[in-house]
Amino acid sequence: SIASADMDLNQMEAFLTAQTKKQGGITSDQAAVIAKFWKNHRTSIHESLINQSRWDNVLKNMNWRVDLKSQLRHIDQINTPVAIVEMEVGKNGQ
């Protein structure tokens, strides 16, 4: 729960306090160990969860532009903006 919510230190302390008060919950010593572990490894745990939840493809490059039509058969379509987007995707880590 702590990792999936990416809790800050205050949220984690409140969560662990609630867990120690819950019947069949954790002890205060266990809460202290969990808190110390989370404080020391929060960044690496968060990055690991992000890497596990990513798709295989990632966005490598993106180009875009907006064109205005200057000649058309019907006058009401002139100066209509058109967005052109080019995205390059590739495998994660390549």
Side-chain angles (χ1 to χ4, degrees), residues 16-93:
L16 291 176
T17 300
Q19 294 301 310
T20 59
K21 294 179 179 179
K22 198 163 82 171
Q23 186 174 358
I26 61 176
T27 66
S28 58
D29 290 337
Q30 290 171 325
V33 169
I34 292 169
K36 184 176 181 181
F37 183 83
W38 181 246
K39 288 175 188 175
N40 292 331
H41 300 287
R42 178 182 179 190
T43 304
S44 60
I45 293 169
H46 184 69
E47 288 175 6
S48 176
L49 288 174
I50 288 172
N51 287 335
Q52 291 175 24
S53 65
R54 267 192 201 142
W55 294 348
D56 286 339
N57 290 329
V58 295
L59 182 63
K60 297 182 121 196
N61 191 19
M62 185 175 101
N63 295 312
W64 65 275
R65 73 176 195 248
V66 176
D67 291 344
L68 292 175
K69 297 178 181 180
S70 61
Q71 277 190 324
L72 285 170
R73 190 175 303 172
H74 303 287
I75 192 77
D76 60 336
Q77 293 179 341
I78 293 179
N79 293 331
T80 303
V82 176
I84 299 172
V85 179
E86 176 185 359
M87 294 185 285
E88 179 184 354
V89 293
K91 292 286 183 191
N92 192 12

